[in-house]
Amino acid sequence: NAGVTQTPKFRVLKTGQSMTLLCAQDMNHEYMYWYRQDPGMGLRLIHYSVGEGTTAKGEVPDGYNVSRLKKQNFLLGLESAAPSQTSVYFCASSYSPGLAGADKYFGPGTRLTVL
Amino acid sequence: AQSVTQPDIHITVSEGASLELRCNYSYGATPYLFWYVQSPGQGLQLLLKYFSGDTLVQGIKGFEAEFKRSQSSFNLRKPSVHWSDAAEYFCAVAPFGNEKLTFGTGTRLTIIP
């Protein structure tokens, strides 16, 4: 049981290049999330998905797109990378929250640098 | 909108000493409250959470937190820290029944021998 995995772990892009970050979970979770973490700002939600085939915008969605074609995978795309997107990106997943709230399981992160 | 404040950016504690990390939230009703820990180079791990009931909650690794409605606080405590507790700690809040977490900016904990 690998939990939540992210590919790649590190990446350096030039301004204007595109890339896709892959998140995979093997816990059969319905919900998946993409966050970015910047110094002094905590984690901010980019996009999330409440099930296969669904996506929704979070707090900072501009410049990113996502897809959830399979329940276990959640892809984050940067169509034209900008230096402001230099960050550490975390994926997370959880089962449907209900009233008790759901524990989120986080991946190890992807460190992205845009030059 | 909800918000979370962690007033201490960095705390240094001697090994074996007690620890308290502060967290204040702003929200119109009682929210879900969480503490996460992030070890260097790792993702976040849930330490504990509160959503109702007993205001003192126990978590993993010997941590506990107390919800105080009158102070809008959810401070994290540990009676005796270990060198392995050195990490960054994040408080987070979510509205009741909602999955959208809002994180604080984090407190970095350093342990000295």
Side-chain angles (χ1 to χ4, degrees):
Chain A
N1 191 337
V4 179
T5 58
Q6 293 182 230
T7 308
K9 290 185 170 54
F10 303 93
R11 186 71 185 268
V12 178
L13 290 179
K14 294 181 179 179
T15 297
Q17 287 184 319
S18 63
M19 78 163 295
T20 300
L21 281 66
L22 170 64
C23 175
Q25 53 94 4
D26 60 3
M27 296 172 283
N28 202 35
H29 284 168
E30 290 292 333
Y31 284 52
M32 296 187 75
Y33 314 80
W34 276 107
Y35 291 89
R36 59 177 291 173
Q37 182 181 34
D38 302 293
M41 299 190 73
L43 276 76
R44 293 179 292 168
L45 182 64
I46 305 171
H47 285 281
Y48 65 102
S49 168
V50 301
E52 181 178 323
T54 74
T55 63
K57 294 180 180 180
E59 183 184 353
V60 288
D62 293 343
Y64 305 95
N65 57 75
V66 288
S67 64
R68 183 100 182 268
L69 298 180
K70 294 183 178 181
K71 186 177 184 178
Q72 64 269 32
N73 295 337
F74 194 31
L75 278 63
L76 178 71
L78 286 73
E79 291 187 344
S80 179
S84 61
Q85 294 178 305
T86 294
S87 187
V88 181
Y89 292 86
F90 287 99
C91 177
S93 70
S94 67
Y95 54 86
S96 183
L99 292 179
D103 297 351
K104 287 183 173 59
Y105 293 81
F106 283 81
T110 295
R111 184 173 295 277
L112 175 65
T113 301
V114 182
L115 302 176
Chain B
Q2 68 266 25
S3 66
V4 179
T5 302
Q6 293 181 247
D8 304 305
I9 296 174
H10 185 203
I11 285 182
T12 300
V13 177
S14 298
E15 190 169 14
S18 63
L19 171 70
E20 182 169 27
L21 302 182
R22 296 183 291 165
C23 173
N24 294 97
Y25 69 90
S26 173
Y27 185 63
T30 301
Y32 294 142
L33 294 160
F34 305 81
W35 274 101
Y36 285 85
V37 60
Q38 184 181 28
S39 297
Q42 303 296 315
L44 278 71
Q45 181 183 22
L46 180 67
L47 282 176
L48 47 79
K49 66 180 180 182
Y50 171 81
F51 60 93
S52 68
D54 193 345
T55 56
L56 184 64
V57 293
Q58 302 297 321
I60 62 172
K61 305 185 180 187
F63 285 92
E64 66 178 26
E66 185 171 14
F67 169 61
K68 292 186 177 180
R69 185 191 306 274
S70 62
Q71 299 177 18
S72 296
S73 69
F74 188 57
N75 293 349
L76 181 72
R77 301 194 295 246
K78 187 170 185 178
S80 177
V81 297
H82 185 262
W83 64 266
S84 60
D85 293 325
E88 187 139 21
Y89 293 79
F90 292 92
C91 183
V93 60
F96 182 80
N98 189 310
E99 270 299 285
K100 294 186 181 180
L101 282 177
T102 297
F103 285 86
T105 52
T107 297
R108 184 160 61 94
L109 175 65
T110 298
I111 308 296
I112 56 176

